[in-house]
Amino acid sequence: MGIRNVNLMQKYFALFILISFTTLSQAQENEVINKEMRSAIEQIVSTTAIPGISVAVAGKKGLIWSGAAGYSKLEERQTVSQGHLFGVGDLSSFYVAVTAIQLIEEGLLDPNAKISEILDDQFATLENFNKVTVRQLINQTSTLNSYEQDNDWQRRARGIQFNPKYVWRKDEPLKYAINSKNITMGVPGSYYAYSKTNATLLSLIIEKISGGLLEDEIRTRLLIPENLNETYMDSYETPPDGSLVGSYHHGTNEFISNIGINAKFSFVDDGNLIETSNSSLSSEGAAGSIITTPRDLALFHIAIKKGNFFNLNSLDYLPKISKNGFEKYHSEILGFTSDMIILEKEELVIVSTVNISTAGSGPSQINNYLNNYMEKIILPVAKKYAK
């Protein structure tokens, strides 16, 4: 064997040793971070009123970490698993928006078309119905009223008139935006203002343009291609038995006074928690009816950032809420609170879901905690995965 070949083999061997050492070092470092993450979520459920939590971290190469702690069912002390499905509330609107962007890229939907040019006149009493465009629905700049602001919707969708088993029609929540006495918050397209009405109108447009059901379009276009097998549209699709986590809501005096508690719900755990498990989320409309695992949700958003669903230039259609150098999204619905942080520079998506909510329950210590724990406790640990 010539001297040149021997030197070449020595270089390859040295490179192999360097790669192996680096990989081992990274694995050991990640194991330390994994323990910190596990400790963080266990601390969250052991020191607060949160029954259960499920967290996932994903990067461009896939899932980095996922874990769960606490209980799915408080009374039975059933443990939450990583495979349990959580309602992710307003984060559902991303699935609708991405589906609409695909239709735009296919030339089937004009982003500058007015919603009045596509949908029936039954929505004509919506403020600015003749001015709002498809693009403004997608990026949440329509300034249309959110039906969530309507007290009648609150009582029927989450409160005393709520029927936990009733499946709402997809257009049904919109009558509460139409009937709302509130006025729009500004000129359409002028600024970002999240509204459930946007995603719900967009879902009807998708069904009309595609000719298919929204849940089928989301599944065939987004979920199946990315092997996201733990995501469903609640009430319109059937998840595996026992996969939906139990859920709880703070039935405070303010909640009882303004919204009321359905007679089919009961107080649990010697406090003001009411169990809302197995309630239909269809009242939330397309804006809030997705149930999924944090790991599926994190991987979905990684796929968006990688351009797996559409041309990367089309990312400009989506809303982008930046704060302190990262995107943060927070949502509360009946029985569920969800948070997502996207670190663009570090190329990380962090998702946290808990099976408790304080929506409509007024100011409280747990309400403040739910609004801040993700950023204060989970984010500092999760960011270490980017090093």
Side-chain angles (χ1 to χ4, degrees):
M1 181 180 294
I3 295 176
R4 184 173 180 275
N5 288 339
V6 171
N7 290 338
L8 190 60
M9 288 184 65
Q10 289 174 337
K11 288 180 180 179
Y12 281 139
F13 181 72
L15 181 60
F16 171 77
I17 294 297
L18 177 61
I19 293 173
S20 298
F21 178 78
T22 302
T23 302
L24 178 60
S25 177
Q26 289 175 341
Q28 290 173 337
E29 184 177 357
N30 278 359
E31 184 59 32
V32 173
I33 303 172
N34 292 347
K35 290 180 179 179
E36 286 188 57
M37 286 292 290
R38 165 59 57 183
S39 177
I41 65 172
E42 288 179 349
Q43 175 193 352
I44 287 169
V45 296
S46 65
T47 59
T48 69
I50 293 175
I53 184 171
S54 186
V55 176
V57 181
K60 284 294 181 73
K61 294 183 180 180
L63 187 69
I64 295 173
W65 186 87
S66 66
Y71 298 113
S72 168
K73 295 283 189 178
L74 281 173
E75 292 179 305
E76 293 90 348
R77 291 300 190 257
Q78 290 182 4
T79 304
V80 170
S81 74
Q82 297 176 45
H84 269 118
L85 309 176
F86 287 72
V88 295
D90 295 340
L91 300 184
S92 303
S93 62
F94 281 101
Y95 295 86
V96 182
V98 171
T99 302
I101 294 172
Q102 284 196 347
L103 292 175
I104 290 172
E105 286 201 342
E106 292 166 9
L108 299 174
L109 183 59
D110 179 1
N112 299 312
K114 306 291 193 299
I115 55 176
S116 58
E117 297 169 353
I118 304 173
L119 296 179
D120 299 334
D121 288 342
Q122 70 182 97
F123 307 111
T125 54
L126 274 171
E127 191 81 16
N128 289 326
F129 179 69
N130 295 317
K131 298 179 181 179
V132 173
T133 66
V134 169
R135 184 191 300 270
Q136 290 162 355
L137 295 179
I138 294 174
N139 64 23
Q140 297 285 339
T141 62
S142 73
T143 66
L144 289 169
N145 289 323
S146 179
Y147 46 81
E148 186 177 27
Q149 298 170 342
D150 186 85
N151 290 334
D152 289 338
W153 180 86
Q154 288 274 4
R155 287 188 286 270
R156 184 167 173 239
R158 298 173 178 171
I160 193 166
Q161 296 175 317
F162 180 52
N163 181 347
K165 301 301 180 184
Y166 176 72
V167 177
W168 290 45
R169 300 189 318 273
K170 293 193 180 84
D171 65 342
E172 199 169 347
L174 290 171
K175 71 180 182 181
Y176 296 94
I178 293 171
N179 294 336
S180 177
K181 295 179 181 179
N182 299 315
I183 59 174
T184 52
M185 295 170 282
V187 178
S190 58
Y191 64 93
Y192 172 91
Y194 182 82
S195 172
K196 288 180 180 291
T197 303
N198 291 330
T200 301
L201 282 168
L202 197 58
S203 72
L204 300 180
I205 290 173
I206 289 170
E207 290 196 340
K208 185 165 186 178
I209 295 298
S210 69
L213 296 173
L214 176 67
E215 58 268 30
D216 293 340
E217 293 298 314
I218 289 175
R219 183 154 301 281
T220 56
R221 290 172 173 274
L222 313 182
L223 305 183
I224 292 175
E226 292 297 316
N227 295 314
L228 302 175
N229 302 315
E230 299 173 329
T231 303
Y232 302 86
M233 191 170 179
D234 185 65
S235 299
Y236 301 102
E237 295 181 301
T238 305
D241 288 342
S243 59
L244 185 61
V245 73
S247 61
Y248 302 87
H249 201 87
H250 262 259
T252 60
N253 290 335
E254 183 169 336
F255 186 87
I256 294 171
S257 175
N258 296 332
I259 301 173
I261 296 177
N262 187 274
K264 295 182 180 178
F265 292 152
S266 58
F267 284 94
V268 297
D269 213 35
D270 298 326
N272 58 7
L273 281 184
I274 54 174
E275 184 174 5
T276 58
S277 303
N278 301 312
S279 297
S280 170
L281 298 180
S282 60
S283 61
E284 299 287 336
S289 54
I290 290 291
I291 53 176
T292 186
T293 60
R295 55 193 181 194
D296 245 27
L297 182 57
L299 289 171
F300 169 63
H301 279 271
I302 285 294
I304 293 174
K305 298 300 182 182
K306 289 169 65 176
N308 291 8
F309 298 123
F310 44 63
N311 190 298
L312 283 175
N313 292 331
S314 293
L315 281 171
D316 291 338
Y317 285 111
L318 291 173
K320 186 175 181 179
I321 312 304
S322 296
K323 175 186 175 184
N324 299 328
F326 54 81
E327 295 177 57
K328 180 181 178 181
Y329 303 91
H330 173 85
S331 175
E332 288 195 51
I333 57 175
L334 187 71
F336 296 104
T337 302
S338 55
D339 286 273
M340 179 173 68
I341 289 178
I342 300 175
L343 302 174
E344 292 283 0
K345 184 178 179 181
E346 294 86 349
E347 298 184 332
L348 288 179
V349 175
I350 310 156
V351 174
S352 179
T353 56
V354 296
N355 55 345
I356 190 174
S357 174
T358 61
S361 298
S364 66
Q365 185 176 358
I366 185 63
N367 174 266
N368 183 62
Y369 188 87
L370 289 173
N371 277 284
N372 295 286
Y373 82 93
M374 172 74 156
E375 196 169 336
K376 290 183 177 180
I377 299 176
I378 294 177
L379 178 60
V381 180
K383 286 178 70 173
K384 296 178 182 180
Y385 285 113
K387 294 181 180 180

